[in-house]
């Protein structure tokens, strides 16, 4: 069983790193579905069932936002998911202030799905990594810290690759 836990964690790590290497919102979302499946399976194997179900909700969120084009349906889905997240947070047995950080990150992650521009998707998701990173550092889970560090570095690399480098080339070319 331990080998499956390590394999699913490693596959989630690789998928998390690859998720932002594309400049298409749909492709980013679908690669993140793979990441969430691996990470949800990892949590399930660890018997962290609440976290696993939380990730399965995010899988449904990403698939929905990848394929549905109507903005009014997106708004309804964001409202519905926000209500579900609030309900799950209030029903959880742990009400420490630290638990607000992954909750806030999940809400930010849901809001980024509403955005169409891939640049803004990367920036919203980058903003959502801060509360998760802080939570993981405070809880001290080494495996979670590594995944968050890899995920954040993937976003930073691709913000530079798709947003900053072309911007500076354009500025240089206009002079």
């Amino acid at each position: 069983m331990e080998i499956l836990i390590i394999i699913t964690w490693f596959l989630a790590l690789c998928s998390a790193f690859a998720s932002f290497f594309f400049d298409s919102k749909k492709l980013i979302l679908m690669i993140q579905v793979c990441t969430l499946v691996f990470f949800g399976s990892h949590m399930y194997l660890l018997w962290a069932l609440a976290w696993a179900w939380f990730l399965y909700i995010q899988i449904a969120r990403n698939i929905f936002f990848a394929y549905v084009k109507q903005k009014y349906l997106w708004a309804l889905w964001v409202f519905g998911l926000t209500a579900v997240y609030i309900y799950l947070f209030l029903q959880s047995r742990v009400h420490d202030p630290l638990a607000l950080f992954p909750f806030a990150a999940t809400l930010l992650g849901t809001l980024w799905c509403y955005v169409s521009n891939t640049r803004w998707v990367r920036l919203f998701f980058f903003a959502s990594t801060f509360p998760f990173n802080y939570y993981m550092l405070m809880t001290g889970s080494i495996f979670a810290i590594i995944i968050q560090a890899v995920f954040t570095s993937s976003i930073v690399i691709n913000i530079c690759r798709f947003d900053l480098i072309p911007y500076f080339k354009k500025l240089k070319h206009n002079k």
Side-chain angles (χ1 to χ4, degrees):
M1 185 67 91
E2 289 87 22
I3 193 72
L4 284 176
I5 292 170
I6 293 169
I7 290 170
T8 55
W9 176 81
F10 182 74
L11 291 172
L13 183 72
C14 293
S15 181
F17 186 70
S19 64
F20 281 90
F21 273 75
F22 303 94
D23 200 22
S24 162
K25 178 184 173 183
K26 186 175 183 178
L27 196 51
I28 290 170
L29 285 170
M30 294 317 294
I31 292 173
Q32 284 195 358
V33 164
C34 294
T35 301
L36 292 168
V37 166
F38 291 134
F39 202 53
S41 300
H42 172 77
M43 290 299 191
Y44 187 77
L45 291 169
L46 289 173
W47 287 95
L49 301 180
W51 280 104
W53 280 105
F54 187 70
L55 293 169
Y56 296 148
I57 292 170
Q58 292 180 348
I59 291 168
R61 173 198 72 186
N62 285 9
I63 291 171
F64 177 85
F65 281 109
Y67 289 102
V68 173
K69 301 294 181 206
Q70 294 84 7
K71 287 283 190 180
Y72 71 91
L73 288 176
W74 284 9
L76 288 174
W77 194 251
V78 166
F79 178 76
L81 283 174
T82 302
V84 167
Y85 292 143
I86 290 170
Y87 174 77
L88 289 174
F89 179 74
L90 293 176
Q91 292 299 315
S92 70
R93 294 187 181 118
V94 180
H95 288 291
D96 65 41
L98 201 55
L100 285 172
F101 287 100
F103 174 71
T106 301
L107 288 179
L108 280 171
T110 301
L111 290 176
W112 79 265
C113 289
Y114 190 74
V115 177
S116 297
N117 185 320
T118 311
R119 174 179 293 145
W120 286 102
V121 167
R122 283 188 287 274
L123 292 175
F124 261 108
F125 221 98
F126 182 64
S128 75
T129 63
F130 291 113
F132 258 126
N133 290 340
Y134 181 75
Y135 176 77
M136 295 307 169
L137 286 171
M138 292 297 112
T139 57
S141 169
I142 299 299
F143 289 114
I145 290 169
I146 292 170
I147 283 192
Q148 281 303 119
V150 166
F151 189 64
T152 303
S153 66
S154 171
I155 297 170
V156 169
I157 289 168
N158 290 295
I159 285 174
C160 292
R161 179 178 170 206
F162 291 117
D163 302 326
L164 294 178
I165 292 173
Y167 175 76
F168 288 120
K169 282 184 180 179
K170 187 186 235 183
L171 278 178
K172 184 180 174 185
H173 205 287
N174 288 340
K175 284 186 177 184

